[in-house]
Amino acid sequence: CADLAACPDALRDALRSFTHEYARRVSAGATAKVPAETASWFARVLWTADLALVRQAAEALMHAGAGSGALMRAALAHAGVQAAEGPNRRQVRAIAEARARQLRRPAPPFSWRQPNANIPGHPAVTRFLRGDDERFTYAGSFNGVAHARNFAAKHFGPSIGGATHSARAEAGGRGQNAYVAIRKTKDTHRDALRAHAEEQAELRSI
């Protein structure tokens, strides 16, 4: 829509549809990036002089579920949003305060627990990864050491990208006595600390 003031319903519906889809993808574990046009949409809404539309657009940004943080961050960083004045400035401030509340949290304490870990078909391994133990020997599920090696490579190999767990695995034994020795690493916690540091930097910039 070229003239946003003339078709606020279309813009509002498009924004709501996008935020819901973005939240769905994030919840499903997809790596979702915020398109630049989303922040631009909100910046343009701020200049429609339609306070009701601005308020609804702000609500859509703040209540986008799992994707709300990234959406608010993108909007607040946009030059057009930062330049908002008058009543619209209050809506921008409300978004900033909502984002700040998300970011105000202590650094995550160290724990061996990896609560998002999931190894389909192997509940014992999933329980270990989600629990407090550092080491675990998984046996009784392999017909030979080659089978065990395949399991270790599939779920703990260096090529595993975007995994929800962090551990190293080594196969051993023979025949029905084959096993996989699994040891957790601290990579997940380091990633959490890095994400927290980035969030605190963002908080200082709001």
Side-chain angles (χ1 to χ4, degrees):
C1 182
D3 183 0
L4 297 182
C7 51
D9 290 341
L11 177 71
R12 184 173 57 251
D13 291 343
L15 184 57
R16 183 184 297 114
S17 176
F18 172 80
T19 53
H20 287 178
E21 173 63 15
Y22 184 89
R24 185 195 66 77
R25 290 181 59 202
V26 172
S27 297
T31 301
K33 295 183 178 179
V34 179
E37 61 265 23
T38 302
S40 297
W41 280 354
F42 186 64
R44 292 169 67 191
V45 171
L46 290 171
W47 301 106
T48 64
D50 183 337
L51 189 57
L53 174 60
V54 172
R55 186 179 298 112
Q56 291 175 15
E59 289 290 325
L61 288 174
M62 290 188 287
H63 297 93
S68 64
L71 288 167
M72 287 190 283
R73 180 173 63 247
L76 292 169
H78 193 282
V81 174
Q82 295 176 357
E85 299 177 349
N88 288 352
R89 186 65 186 172
R90 288 196 291 272
Q91 298 303 318
V92 174
R93 190 176 299 114
I95 294 173
E97 291 172 353
R99 180 58 178 153
R101 286 194 295 273
Q102 291 182 332
L103 297 172
R104 289 192 189 101
R105 62 186 183 92
F110 176 75
S111 172
W112 284 121
R113 294 181 181 180
Q114 301 177 14
N116 297 319
N118 182 36
I119 307 299
H122 301 274
V125 180
T126 296
R127 284 195 299 271
F128 157 68
L129 292 170
R130 294 181 180 183
D132 293 311
D133 294 334
E134 178 185 0
R135 300 168 185 263
F136 176 61
T137 299
Y138 187 40
S141 296
F142 309 111
N143 56 29
V145 70
H147 187 193
R149 287 189 184 119
N150 287 338
F151 173 85
K154 178 180 179 180
H155 297 290
F156 301 98
S159 62
I160 303 300
T164 56
H165 58 270
S166 172
R168 300 286 182 267
E170 184 175 348
R174 291 184 177 182
Q176 298 298 319
N177 294 320
Y179 64 86
V180 173
I182 308 171
R183 181 179 182 180
K184 294 175 184 173
T185 71
K186 297 181 179 180
D187 291 351
T188 298
H189 185 245
R190 280 194 289 266
D191 290 344
L193 290 176
R194 186 179 304 111
H196 180 265
E198 292 173 353
E199 289 177 350
Q200 297 313 294
E202 182 186 346
L203 177 60
R204 290 190 294 271
S205 71
I206 293 178

